[in-house]
Amino acid sequence: MRRIKLVVAYDGTAYQGWQIQPGAPTIEGELNKALTSLLKEEIQVIGASRTDSGVHALCNVAVFDTGARIPAEKISYALNRYLPEDIKIQNSVEVAADFHPRRCNSRKTYEYRILNREFSLP
């Protein structure tokens, strides 16, 4: 088995957050479904962090284990064809089997935008 790291960007407007929830569309659910279709094996991603409903991300990290032989750097190209337009893989690389996205030395940056005006922007 190989461990593959994905860098994921998404517009979370249509999703109920990262984590799988019964009967609701989620980023994790879409990734699992697309990877399972692409690699022809049951895939469960592990994300670096969860996001709430409607939240967007530029560089959320996820990993998954696979026995598939497709080169790691090609997975991002192939996977993007299986994903909806509002979820895109920015990068895919093979990492050490013990790499875990929640335990690596990284930083999270949150940006909040509040539109405080009478009329919304298109």
Side-chain angles (χ1 to χ4, degrees), residues 56-116:
H56 317 309
L58 294 176
C59 296
N60 203 347
V61 173
V63 296
F64 67 93
D65 297 323
T66 183
R69 298 179 67 163
I70 182 173
E73 63 278 0
K74 300 291 185 191
I75 291 175
S76 56
Y77 294 95
L79 185 56
N80 280 329
R81 299 186 71 200
Y82 285 79
L83 289 167
E85 287 296 315
D86 50 6
I87 303 173
K88 290 296 174 199
I89 306 305
Q90 303 300 299
N91 189 7
S92 57
V93 296
E94 188 167 347
V95 292
D98 63 347
F99 177 84
H100 195 289
R102 290 185 209 134
R103 296 188 199 114
C104 63
N105 188 9
S106 64
R107 169 185 348 182
K108 296 178 191 174
T109 303
Y110 296 91
E111 180 179 312
Y112 298 89
R113 294 183 181 182
I114 299 170
L115 183 62
N116 188 13

Side-chain angles (χ1 to χ4, degrees), residues 10-18 25 27 51-57:
Y10 52 87
D11 176 336
T13 302
Y15 301 95
Q16 299 301 308
W18 172 273
I27 303 298
T51 53
D52 291 333
S53 179
V55 171
H56 317 309

